[in-house]
Amino acid sequence: MTQRINYIQQSPELFKKFMEFSNALANSAIETSIRDLVSIRASQLNGCGFCLDMHVKEARIHGERELRIYHLATWRESTLFAPRERAALAWTEVLTRLPEHGVADDIYERVREQLSEKELSDLTFDVMAINAWNRANVAFKTVPGSADKAFGLDKANLA
């Protein structure tokens, strides 16, 4: 795959601001392990190889088990995810692939059983961010693994 343009070089000020936004999410009410799962799942749904590669490596660095990463594509059938994680994954999927008539009340209510209003709000910002990153990297065909050294992802030892 050949990258189309380097959006970081073309729009450095916007990239910097968006990185600041994304970095602020590390202090959200949502734990790192769930943020990792959300980033991987949204990237799978959006077909973003760059982000999928990055977030799998981050998850491994953060201690996520390989089998849970393998099961993410079929999280509904897997017994490896807790109710809180399932709620976050359901919310991720519905916001990543918005239904024509919006988010159904039953989905919202199921998610609200597991997450506080603050957590749900913060999770929504997490989902917004990964979807935006996916769109930029899919649009410009960013090469998976091309930023490993810059982001310290070589520590995952998954090359």
Side-chain angles (χ1 to χ4, degrees):
M1 179 166 71
T2 303
Q3 186 165 332
R4 290 177 170 156
I5 66 169
N6 185 324
Y7 67 91
I8 298 167
Q9 290 175 350
Q10 296 304 312
S11 305
E13 63 290 334
L14 295 174
F15 173 78
K16 180 182 176 193
K17 292 293 185 187
F18 199 59
M19 278 298 295
E20 288 172 7
F21 171 76
S22 294
N23 289 335
L25 295 170
N27 298 317
S28 78
I30 302 299
E31 53 268 37
T32 300
S33 60
I34 289 181
R35 287 194 335 270
D36 287 339
L37 296 175
V38 162
S39 293
I40 293 168
R41 186 64 186 134
S43 298
Q44 288 174 333
L45 293 172
N46 288 321
C48 184
F50 177 83
C51 292
L52 181 59
D53 178 82
M54 170 182 278
H55 295 294
V56 164
K57 290 172 181 172
E58 283 180 342
R60 291 294 294 137
I61 290 169
H62 296 148
E64 185 58 70
R65 293 183 301 151
E66 281 185 64
L67 187 58
R68 283 171 38 97
I69 294 170
Y70 300 150
H71 278 228
L72 262 177
T74 59
W75 64 268
R76 284 179 182 81
E77 293 81 26
S78 176
T79 59
L80 300 179
F81 300 99
R84 180 176 171 82
E85 294 167 327
R86 291 175 178 284
L89 292 167
W91 195 246
T92 299
E93 288 187 0
V94 75
L95 293 184
T96 298
R97 294 190 170 158
L98 282 171
E100 183 178 345
H101 299 289
V103 177
D105 289 339
D106 65 315
I107 294 173
Y108 173 79
E109 293 303 327
R110 279 184 293 167
V111 173
R112 275 290 289 127
E113 289 174 6
Q114 297 298 321
L115 301 170
S116 71
E117 289 181 0
K118 167 73 169 144
E119 291 168 334
L120 184 55
S121 179
D122 285 2
L123 176 62
T124 301
F125 279 101
D126 276 316
V127 175
M128 289 164 47
I130 189 56
N131 276 285
W133 286 118
N134 287 168
R135 280 148 180 75
N137 288 300
V138 167
F140 300 121
K141 294 186 174 185
T142 309
V143 177
S146 61
D148 281 5
K149 279 208 186 276
F151 289 110
L153 300 174
D154 48 341
K155 295 175 189 149
N157 296 319
L158 292 177

